[in-house]
Amino acid sequence: MALLDIRNVTRRFGALAAVDKVSIAIEAGEFFTLLGPSGCGKTTLLRMIAGFDLPDAGEILLDGRDMAGIPPERRPIHTVFQSYALFPHMTVSQNIAFPLKMAGKTPDEVRGKVREALELVHLEEKGAHLPHELSGGQKQRVALARSLVNRPRVLLLDEPLGALDAKLREEMQIELISLQRDVGVTFVFVTHAQTEALALSHRIAVMNAGRVEQLDEPSKIYGLPANRFVADFIGNCNMLDADVVEASPNGLRLNVKGLGEMTAPPREGARSGDRGVLALRPEQVRIVAPDSHQDLKNHFTGRVHDFLYGGDVTTYIVELPNGTRIEALLPNSAPGRATFFEVGDAVRVAWRHDAGNFLRD
Amino acid sequence: MIKPRAETITRWLVSGPPFAFLLIFFALPSLIMVVASFRYPGEFGGLAPLAAGKPDEEAGLTVENYRIFFGDWIYFQILAKSFGVALLTTLVCLLMAYPLALLIARSPRRHRDLMVLLVVLPFASNFLVRVYAWMIILGDQSIFLRPFNYVLAKFGGEPLSLLFSGFAVIVGMVYVHLPFMILPLYTNLEKHDPVLLDAAQDLGANAWNRFWRVTFPLSLPGVFSGAALVFIPVLGMFAIPEILGGKDDWMVGNMIKEAFLGTRDWPFGSMLSIMLTLAVLAVAGLAAWLAKKGTARA
């Protein structure tokens, strides 16, 4: 039995269904992420799990028990808020002691657990400080310690890294993973940042317009996107309009608009005549000089339209003669790599016969 | 860092006039009052000359006024009673204003301005008119009191009289000063981040604990400024005890007024004013010390 079972949950605001018949089963000990653009319903779903909002239809079960009618303060579920929501008039220790006092723990127990929690987040020295004396990362850690100190069944995290700068965010991601492993509490993490979701999660539910578009492991979400939305939202993707000419268990033959026939990996449910797109990740597209030897089956010549130098990699936007633009990623560490392509250079782009995914419309 | 000259000049230009105003109309008169409290009263009010014109004339400086004050319990009692009335008024105002301020602060934003307007609306009519209105409300012929006394008489009870009593004074004081408690409280409560209450609830706090451990401690600055805005004016108030109170309900303000306008003993009135000011300063100092001790411990 799943620890947290969300069954057919719907929440409407007027005519709009913010959450639309969502069913998700989250297992104990999992680091689960709800990923989607703002307004996709992920925060509404989180508030319903916490108890601040109630579903119009469907049910939320924790350990098999229906949570309907149980107010937030009586749910063994805690939340780390985006703004941390530390109590400004209480010291770090008093903040962490708050849930313990509310649970009626004895002063001795409170002292011991607060000390443990401070150690857990490496803030032993900061117990007597007030929140406004802390840095962003330290506040974040206090919020985590406070939410974890009495070991909830589920910890909800509402875009907790959103307010941190890029460098600190990366550090906190690593801390979050080890923290979750150490305490073994189930994390439900809400974010719109796809790299964060891919880096942290055991499983991800990609949400859009109140529905779950795909629910899977990060590598599957990235490598085998279920549809156009997921492919487009997670990472960058070239989308080439295509029809299926022939479908077989060994692969697909596609007619890509303006480029002609080519092969693609097999896709369950794809039939000849289907319309859709060939979704191709930029790192799957190789970019070489036009006269160099080319052993890949799918290859086309074009010109560099523009490029973005990213340090570790450079993203080239190559325009093909028919006007199609394809993004290709070139690692700057590639062996023998001495020259950069410039805007206007003639180049050749190529990809393996089994690269990309056909996504039906 | 050396400040640019223009900035220094601007600073003086801006802060100079109010500074001069306070110096001329507050600091100087206070000083005059201190001196006056050590002088003799003039024959027909005002002050006696500093140098004697005739041999038996009272002139120069004296501590006689302070000797009278410390020589009779009555002055201390009236001062203490004034503090009692001020304290009680402040407490009643706080208990009445807090729920209202909370209600306004948690109302939809578009309703708040209207509610605040309603709170300050009484200021649109004259203070004395409003206090006299209470004479009618609390008087023996009051439409509120008459039915009550009628029923009371049926059961053989003595009719209740409310006007010219300590009760009427407190009612009047609370009525007049309530907005001064509501406004600072509302200003404070309105700034509270609602997510803190969500966090408290999420961490297991019921409605009482959310109020007592989060909302109330965060509102203390508002409570203190409201309390000061009520306590200090009430302490010096003379009109309300005079209109709504009996002779036993005199406060220090009435004594000061009487000294200046009744017996025309300016030095004695000055002395009372100074004692009142010192008492207020002592209380304020004590409160500040307690507040500092409180934060140091927390």
Side-chain angles (χ1 to χ4, degrees), chain A residues 47 50 52 72-73 77-79 81 83 85-91 98-99 101-102 146-147, chain B residues 193 195-207 209-210 213-215 217-218 297-298:
Chain A
R47 287 183 65 83
F52 291 113
E73 64 265 35
I77 298 173
H78 288 176
T79 308
F81 292 87
S83 60
L86 300 179
F87 303 123
H89 58 296
M90 297 182 197
T91 62
F98 189 85
K101 284 184 186 159
M102 291 302 105
R146 185 177 70 172
S147 307
Chain B
D193 186 351
V195 80
L196 293 178
L197 293 178
D198 279 356
Q201 186 172 15
D202 188 74
L203 296 167
N206 58 23
N209 277 323
R210 292 199 291 277
R213 290 172 186 268
V214 179
T215 303
L218 285 174
R297 197 192 44 206

Side-chain angles (χ1 to χ4, degrees), chain A residues 108-162:
Chain A
D108 277 346
E109 271 180 291
V110 171
R111 254 193 306 279
K113 293 204 169 193
V114 167
R115 199 169 45 237
E116 279 173 34
L118 284 171
E119 279 167 21
L120 187 69
V121 296
H122 318 296
L123 286 174
E124 294 93 333
E125 309 298 313
K126 299 287 181 186
H129 286 61
L130 286 168
H132 73 86
E133 298 168 317
L134 303 179
S135 70
Q138 289 170 338
K139 284 182 196 171
Q140 173 70 80
R141 299 216 289 267
V142 176
L144 278 166
R146 185 177 70 172
S147 307
L148 285 169
V149 69
N150 60 1
R151 293 294 183 270
R153 299 287 291 149
V154 178
L155 182 71
L156 307 176
L157 301 106
D158 185 10
E159 308 226 7
L161 307 181

